[in-house]
Amino acid sequence: MWTKGSLKKAIEEQLGEYLLIVASNREPYIHMHKKGKIIFQRSAGGVVTALDPVMKACSGLWIAHGSGDADKKTVDKHDRLQVPPDDPKYTLHRIWLTKEEEDGYYYGFSNEALWPLSHISYTRPHFEETDWKMYEKVNRKFADAILKEVGDRKAFVWIQDYHMALLPKFLKEAGCNNIITAHFWHIPWPNPEVFRICPKKKEILEGLLANDLLGFHIRYHCENFIATVEKEIEARVDRERFSIIKGGHETLIRAFPIGVDYEYVAELSESKEIKEDMQGLKEEFLINHDFVMLGLDRIDYTKGIPERLRAIDRFLEKYPEYKGKFVFIQMGRLSRIHIPAYKDLNDEINALVEEINWKHSQEGWQPILFVRRHLSYPEVIAFYKLANICIVSPLHDGMNLVAKEYVATRTDNTGVLVLSQFTGSARELQHEAIMINPYDTEDCADRIKEAISMDKAEAKRRMQKMREQVSRNNIYRWAGKILAELLRFEFKE
Ligand code: F6P
C-alpha cells in the first residue's frame, strides 16, 4: 500500500534536481481577521483535501491566489510563508489579484463559464469577453510568478483544475525546456456536443495540450476530452499510447482516480480529540436520534442539495414511523455567492429546509438541521462519526471526496453510504454503497429507507469492502501514479 513514506521516498529518488511546484487557484491555508486577531484556516474543497497531505509529505512550493483579508500581513517580502502555519512543512507563495481580476477570472470565466459547461446540471454557462481577458491575464500572472521562482533550474509544475487552462501554454511559450507540466482537471470533461458552444474552445484546448500529461478522474472524461479535440482542432490522436500530438508535442491523457489520506483520517477519527468533539457537537446541536444522516457539501448547484431535501421530505411522507427518531444534518459552506445562480440556490435551500421542517415537525422535533457555522476539520470528522448514514447526491461530480472521507472515518465498519451514480467515486464504490439517481425523488426516498433498515452484518460487510478500496487507492498512490507516468519510473504497488 502506498503511504506518506513511500511517496516521499519515490519523490526523493525520482525527482532529483527538479523543483516541485503546485499551482492552483485556491490556497491551502488562508489568514483572516477575527475579533481583532489574525487566525488561519485550512481551505475546504477537493484540491486542498487531496494535495495538502501530498505537499506535507514532499515539501516543495505551492502557488495560489491569496484571498484572505489577512493574507498580505502574513507573508515575507517575496510573498511566501511556510505552511501549515502551526507546523510548517512546505512553502506557499501567494499571488495577489485585483477585485477586477478576481471578478473576471474566478467568478466570471472559471465559475460562470467553465464550471457549468463541464458539469451536466442544466445551469447555463455565461461567456463574457471581459471575463476571458481577465482569465488570460491571471493565467499569465501565475506563469510569471512560476517562471521567476524556477529561474534556470529544472521544475516539475503540477497544475490543478479549470482555472489554469492557459498556464501550461504560457509556461512552455517562455521557451522553457527545463519545465515539465502535469495538469489535473478535477471536474468532469463534458462530451463534444456540450463543449462546442464555448467561444474560447480552441484556446482552452491549445492551452491544455501544451501539458506533458493531462489527468482526469475517470477514463470516460479522458474519452470525452479526446473526442472533443478530434472534433475541434487539428491534432493527431495516438490511440495506442492514449495521447494527443499537436505541433510535434505529445500530451499523455490518463485517468487517475483521486483518493484521500486514508491513514490520517482513520487515525484522527480514533483520537481523544474527536471523541470530545463528538460529545460537544451532540450537546451543541441536541443530537440524540436513533438515525443520523449526514450531508456535507460546498453549497453548489451541482451537489444535488435541493434534490436530497425533497427525497427526505418524501421519505418522511412515506415512512412517518421515523418521525422523532431520524435527523438529517446538512453541513456546507457558502460558496461563490456573488454569482446569481449560487445566491438563488442558497435561497432555495433555506426555503426548502424551512418548509420541510414546518411540514413534519412535532413535539419539538424537526427533521433537518442545517449547520451554518464554520466547522474545524476535526469537527467535520466528528460529524462523520456521528452519522449512521452519509448521503452524497451530486447531479454530476468529477470524484467527490466526501464519500471516501466518510468511509475512511468508519473505523468500526458501521455506517451506510448513499451515493449518486453520477459521481466519479461511484465507479469504485457502486457495489457496496446504496446507489441513487438524485433526479428520482421517489426512489431516493426508498433508498434512504433501505439504508436506515439495512441489516447490521450486511452493512458491516459492505463498509469493510469500501474501506479496503479507499485505503488502497489513497492519495499517496494517486500522486505516485502521476509522478511515475510523467517521470517514467516503474510504479510499484
Ligand atoms: O474540485 C473542484 C473545485 O473547484 C476545486 O478546485 C476547489 O478546491 C473546490 O472545487 C472548491 O471550490 P472553490 O475553490 O471555488 O471554493
Side-chain angles (χ1 to χ4, degrees), residues 24-26 44-49 106 111 115 119 160-163 186-187 217 298 300 303 333-336 397:
S24 74
N25 169 67
R26 183 65 60 198
V47 169
V48 172
T49 306
Y106 174 74
N111 286 314
W115 179 269
H119 291 88
Q160 310 300 319
D161 239 342
Y162 58 98
H163 315 84
H186 289 260
I187 62 176
H217 289 300
R298 198 166 43 74
D300 192 294
K303 303 291 179 186
R333 90 176 151 90
L334 282 180
S335 158
R336 307 174 191 171
D397 210 335

Side-chain angles (χ1 to χ4, degrees), residues 118-120 185-190 216-217 221 396-399 422:
S118 303
H119 291 88
I120 316 289
W185 193 263
H186 289 260
I187 62 176
W189 188 275
F216 298 93
H217 289 300
H221 299 152
H396 200 189
D397 210 335
M399 175 52 69
F422 308 124

Side-chain angles (χ1 to χ4, degrees), residues 62 79 155 227 285 295 348 356 366 370 387 393 454 468 486:
W62 188 325
D79 298 324
F285 295 105
E348 184 188 357
I356 298 169
Q366 289 195 328
F370 196 165
S393 59
M454 188 182 284
E468 277 163 28
L486 199 60

Side-chain angles (χ1 to χ4, degrees), residues 2-9 11 15 20-22 28-29 42 46-62 84 89-90 156 158 160 186 258-261 264 474-483:
W2 272 67
T3 61
K4 200 192 296 182
S6 49
L7 178 67
K8 201 173 166 110
K9 191 160 167 273
I11 286 179
L15 215 53
L20 173 65
I21 299 183
V22 162
Y29 293 90
R42 192 177 96 146
V47 169
V48 172
T49 306
L51 280 148
D52 183 49
V54 171
M55 289 300 273
K56 279 180 183 160
C58 46
S59 309
L61 178 85
W62 188 325
K89 292 279 188 309
Y90 63 94
F156 163 44
W158 197 356
Q160 310 300 319
H186 289 260
I258 205 166
V260 293
D261 189 355
Y264 170 73
N474 62 32
I475 190 62
Y476 301 110
R477 183 174 183 271
W478 174 79
K481 285 204 102 149
I482 293 178
L483 290 169

